[in-house]
Amino acid sequence: MTDIPTPASSSPRPASANALLDSSGLPRFDAIAPSDVAPAIGELLTRSRALVARLTAADAAPASWENFAQPLADGIEELSRAWGIVGHLHSVNDVPEWREAYNAMLPEVSRFFAELGQNLALFAGYTTLRDSAAFARLNAAQQRIVSNEIRDFRLSGAELPDADKPRFQAIQEELASLAAKFSENVLDATNAFAEIVTDPAELAGLPADVVDAARAAAGDSASDAWKFTLHMPSYLPVLQYADSRRLRQSLYRGHATRASEFGPAELDNTPLIRRILELRQEEARLLGFANYAEVSLAPKMAESTEQVAAFLRDLASKARPFAERDLAELKEFAARELGLSELEPWDVAYASEKLREQRYSFSEQEVKQYFTEPRVIAGLFGVIEKLFAVRVRPDTAPVWHEDVRFFRIETPAGELVGQFYLDLYARETKRGGAWMDEAITRRRIAGGIQTPVAYLNCNFPRPVGEKDGQAKPATFSHDDVITLFHETGHGLHHLLTRVEELGVSGIHGVEWDAVELPSQFMENYCWEWDVVRGMSAHVDSGEALPRALFERMLAARNFQSGLQTVRQIEFSLFDLLLHCAYDPVADAAKGRGLYDVLAEVRREVSVLIPPAWHRFPNSFSHIFAGGYAAGYFSYKWAEVLSADCYAAFEEAGDPFDARTGSRFLDEILSVGGSRPALDSFRAFRGRDPAVDALLRHSGMIAA
């Protein structure tokens, strides 16, 4: 199937036939339809409200783990799982029917969780439990859940005056709707752009598989036409390889102005951003914080906005000299070798690739031919098995698209540890980027242990072309391979947990600025020769990647790392300052907008300044439609942790050192959020984190 079918009748089926209400096992993607959403979620909301009423009744017994915290977690999980399925399908199958079904119930679900967070009786139940003698008898995971819940109730407005609670609740509902609309606008604006090329001369420089994909995308509308889009498998190769400056400029501008005033008004995210910032600021002040960044940092490792800003600026000061050198080299090369006296933004990736080819004698396209999908997947699974003493095997389950595959992780004895879906290819109905999400979380239930299930989603190019009458496998760039390892690291954090309490199992309860540690840790294995050799096979010859080519890749590993680092710091500092040093009402009244904030950040840390018409924030989904608001710095913060963790394997002299791998599993992955992330890091490394390994891995150590 290509998309989940919608029943011919729009009438809801009987509740007994509603697959969204079945939480006995894996999601029934072969049976779930958009028409199921309203009745199923409506029923689960009713059940959840009845549960809350029962647990907070005047005659209820004093709160304990057994009669209060555990049944509340169990009851709400059923709603969360069902709504998680709906949200997942909205992300990977964003057809009109699913978009409508999701948006119709989004306000109701948002309202329920806002009510839940403000329920003083529930808040009192947790504080009663914390203050009781029984609290000392709870295990560490249970105690952490109680502490986290009390913190989160406060952040959800539980202690607000009754007069303020309706407004706080309305803010949460509106923010949820705005985030969904923001994401939809980015996807729709991405899909709305197409550059149709009819002159074969404009294809010069493009890899054959990219040209074939563009020809297939053009369909039968013209015999000699090629369609290029803003989806990454099309967009990135054009910017990187196309000799046609006009074509590069066209796609660059289309990508840079997505969901802005330069396109259809109904897809412009500018008013949404303004409203999101206003509502976040209002939320912060209602909660007694000076700004939204303080709200965001409350559950994170970082202690204050000043600490985060100092961290980013210190890293920028170390990286900027390298970035300036990178840019000077690129400009000189572009002028001398490419005749580009003025290096425009749409020239940067193209000139960088040419410089890389000249300096290191290889191109990314050459490397890509060695990373065929079957070998990459097998290599990835081999790393998991060797590091963590498990086995990864194919499994079966209903899926939402014919491209999706399903796997199981098991012990050497065959005991099930967890399962995951793998959805690798880009589609027009799938949101951009790559991400991991949870389908089911590990916990102890009456019948034993509920095994975890994860979604791993990417947007890689699908197979194109044939050889000897057989379809060629998809080929991935080395960056694609790194992305796959990254998302798998998140998946392993979710799947290899040994915690049995829902609230801190897997990625639950892990501080947001530490959650990237396992994902970034896994990226290191994409640079180990034995791993790369084992997961490479040329798409035509079947030969493994030559050692000499790998050595050139290794030499180029930190190519333009200075530019890349300051770019990430630019995003992070902009996000932070937007949420702590910018008032969307008062500053706007003075004529200072968010693009002024961005310009200030760029003057401070950046070396490569985009054109004035660039509308990067309008598609910055991480902070306006994801969980990274005032938290984008988490990528760099966690990169310090992950580099330091990998350094432990380097010190052991073996990237697969069994003892170190076992300790990483025991002290980082398996404990989930059951203790503070800093405690987990210290337990693994025996000390506080240091930035040295990150700077060394990035090649930013002064000679």
Side-chain angles (χ1 to χ4, degrees):
M1 61 180 180
T2 54
D3 288 307
I4 295 173
T6 305
S9 170
S10 59
S11 301
R13 290 173 288 171
S16 59
N18 195 320
L20 262 181
L21 291 172
D22 182 3
S23 59
S24 62
L26 296 168
R28 292 166 53 191
F29 288 114
D30 57 341
I32 299 170
S35 58
D36 293 330
V37 175
I41 300 303
E43 180 173 334
L44 292 172
L45 285 168
T46 299
R47 291 185 200 172
S48 298
R49 286 192 168 98
L51 170 66
V52 171
R54 186 167 68 252
L55 294 177
T56 57
D59 58 352
S64 69
W65 184 264
E66 293 75 18
N67 71 15
F68 176 75
Q70 187 67 61
L72 182 61
D74 290 344
I76 301 303
E77 191 216 17
E78 197 174 4
L79 170 63
S80 297
R81 273 177 63 177
W83 185 242
I85 292 169
V86 177
H88 174 70
L89 290 170
H90 177 244
S91 295
V92 298
N93 188 36
D94 191 5
V95 294
E97 297 86 354
W98 272 109
R99 180 178 292 189
E100 182 180 346
Y102 174 81
N103 285 322
M105 292 306 294
L106 179 61
E108 294 296 321
V109 175
S110 301
R111 185 174 305 120
F112 169 76
F113 281 105
E115 291 170 355
L116 199 70
Q118 294 181 356
N119 190 310
L120 277 177
L122 289 177
F123 182 45
Y126 281 107
T127 55
T128 297
L129 177 53
R130 181 199 58 193
D131 297 338
S132 69
F135 183 75
R137 295 191 292 274
L138 299 181
N139 62 44
Q142 293 168 337
Q143 289 182 353
R144 185 155 170 84
I145 287 172
V146 173
S147 298
N148 287 350
E149 290 289 350
I150 291 171
R151 175 202 67 202
D152 292 344
F153 268 103
R154 286 173 171 151
L155 292 175
S156 297
E159 296 179 310
L160 288 175
D162 287 344
D164 289 337
K165 286 185 176 180
R167 177 58 193 154
F168 189 91
Q169 197 174 116
I171 289 172
Q172 303 312 303
E173 292 176 30
E174 189 175 354
L175 280 172
S177 295
L178 289 169
K181 180 62 175 168
F182 186 100
S183 184
E184 290 168 2
N185 284 353
V186 173
L187 179 61
D188 290 348
T190 300
N191 288 336
F193 178 95
E195 177 74 20
I196 306 298
V197 171
T198 55
D199 181 0
E202 288 212 277
L203 305 176
L206 288 171
D209 61 336
V210 175
V211 173
D212 290 345
R215 180 66 192 86
D220 298 326
S221 57
S223 57
D224 292 308
W226 296 265
K227 178 182 177 181
F228 295 95
T229 73
L230 299 181
H231 292 283
M232 288 301 107
S234 179
Y235 173 76
L236 287 179
V238 169
L239 268 289
Q240 199 167 6
Y241 298 108
D243 293 336
S244 169
R245 204 178 193 192
R246 186 210 65 80
L247 182 60
R248 297 199 307 268
Q249 181 179 4
S250 174
L251 264 70
Y252 177 90
R253 188 174 187 108
H255 189 267
T257 58
R258 287 179 301 164
S260 73
E261 73 272 25
F262 296 109
E266 65 272 17
L267 299 182
D268 184 3
N269 275 336
T270 306
L272 274 64
I273 292 173
R274 187 180 306 117
R275 184 61 178 158
I276 287 169
L277 293 173
E278 290 173 356
L279 291 171
R280 286 175 178 168
Q281 180 72 343
E282 185 180 358
E283 173 189 341
R285 288 175 176 164
L286 280 171
L287 292 173
F289 292 95
N291 52 65
Y292 185 79
E294 292 184 358
V295 179
S296 175
L297 292 184
K300 292 181 171 66
M301 287 179 70
E303 296 173 358
S304 67
T305 57
E306 292 79 11
Q307 183 190 22
V308 175
F311 164 74
L312 292 172
R313 286 175 167 134
D314 178 61
L315 194 56
S317 70
K318 292 178 168 66
R320 182 158 179 155
F322 293 92
E324 290 170 340
R325 182 197 65 189
D326 291 342
L327 183 57
E329 290 176 347
L330 185 63
K331 285 183 174 180
E332 191 276 332
F333 170 82
R336 184 185 74 248
E337 300 291 336
L338 305 177
L340 298 173
S341 57
E342 186 71 29
L343 188 71
E344 298 289 357
W346 44 90
D347 300 325
V348 171
Y350 177 76
S352 295
E353 179 60 20
K354 296 296 185 186
L355 175 57
R356 188 209 309 268
E357 289 178 22
Q358 184 189 85
R359 180 174 294 175
Y360 302 105
S361 302
F362 78 92
S363 71
E364 287 196 353
Q365 182 61 23
E366 177 188 1
V367 171
K368 181 180 178 181
Q369 305 312 305
Y370 288 94
F371 289 116
T372 58
E373 180 182 337
R375 291 302 289 265
V376 169
I377 299 300
L380 169 65
F381 292 173
V383 170
I384 296 170
E385 293 175 346
K386 197 170 182 181
L387 262 180
F388 305 119
V390 294
R391 300 189 309 196
V392 185
R393 297 289 184 267
D395 208 343
T396 57
V399 295
W400 55 91
H401 192 278
E402 61 189 1
D403 292 339
V404 180
R405 285 175 287 166
F406 190 64
F407 298 91
R408 62 191 279 120
I409 298 178
E410 56 188 39
T411 67
E415 180 183 354
L416 180 64
V417 174
Q419 296 163 297
F420 61 97
Y421 301 88
L422 192 60
D423 187 355
L424 290 177
Y425 308 140
R427 295 187 296 273
E428 287 194 352
T429 56
K430 185 180 182 183
R431 73 173 171 92
W435 71 98
M436 188 284 296
D437 206 350
E438 60 186 84
I440 301 173
T441 301
R442 176 185 163 93
R443 66 183 180 120
R444 181 166 292 281
I445 55 177
I449 295 295
Q450 175 177 283
T451 54
V453 182
Y455 305 116
L456 300 183
N457 306 280
C458 299
N459 271 279
F460 297 158
R462 62 178 55 252
V464 177
E466 292 186 357
K467 180 192 176 188
D468 300 328
Q470 300 288 324
K472 281 188 175 183
T475 56
F476 301 150
S477 70
H478 192 243
D479 282 345
D480 289 339
V481 176
I482 291 172
T483 296
L484 179 59
F485 272 66
H486 178 105
E487 297 308 331
T488 302
H490 283 308
L492 293 172
H493 204 181
H494 177 69
L495 297 169
L496 298 185
T497 186
R498 295 177 188 143
V499 179
E500 298 179 358
E501 305 295 347
L502 183 66
V504 290
S505 177
I507 60 172
H508 285 240
V510 178
E511 295 96 319
W512 200 260
D513 41 0
V515 81
E516 297 292 336
L517 191 167
S519 55
Q520 292 176 147
F521 168 84
M522 285 294 292
E523 293 181 20
N524 290 282
Y525 287 90
C526 301
W527 295 102
E528 293 291 344
W529 167 240
D530 287 341
V531 174
V532 171
R533 178 180 55 184
M535 67 176 175
S536 62
H538 194 280
V539 67
D540 292 322
S541 70
E543 294 179 0
L545 186 86
R547 181 64 185 258
L549 178 53
F550 174 73
E551 292 297 337
R552 296 197 297 273
M553 291 170 58
L554 205 57
R557 177 179 182 179
N558 294 319
F559 177 64
Q560 297 185 341
S561 63
L563 280 175
Q564 294 164 11
T565 299
V566 297
R567 182 172 179 265
Q568 286 297 102
I569 294 171
E570 174 192 314
F571 296 168
S572 301
L573 194 56
F574 168 65
D575 166 45
L576 180 73
L577 297 182
L578 195 63
H579 289 99
C580 74
Y582 174 71
D583 187 311
V585 177
D587 281 345
K590 299 173 187 174
R592 179 174 180 250
L594 82 157
Y595 283 96
D596 295 304
V597 178
L598 184 55
E600 293 160 11
V601 169
R602 285 173 172 161
R603 283 194 294 271
E604 180 179 356
V605 303
S606 305
V607 298
L608 200 56
I609 310 297
W613 44 258
H614 199 292
R615 293 294 180 264
F616 150 70
N618 287 54
S619 57
F620 198 0
S621 297
H622 276 78
I623 71 169
F624 294 119
Y628 282 87
Y632 197 80
F633 75 91
S634 300
Y635 282 103
K636 279 299 170 191
W637 186 278
E639 198 174 351
V640 171
L641 306 178
S642 65
D644 205 340
C645 283
Y646 193 71
F649 289 83
E650 294 174 320
E651 292 159 13
D654 181 359
F656 292 100
D657 180 70
R659 182 172 175 272
T660 310
S662 178
R663 286 196 303 109
F664 187 79
L665 174 61
D666 293 344
E667 304 294 359
I668 303 291
L669 294 181
S670 70
V671 298
S674 64
R675 66 184 178 194
L678 185 57
D679 290 354
S680 294
F681 179 90
R682 287 169 174 158
F684 177 64
R685 284 301 263 150
R687 57 167 173 76
D688 283 346
V691 75
D692 307 61
L694 172 60
L695 294 174
R696 176 168 52 81
H697 289 170
S698 302
M700 293 190 295
I701 300 293

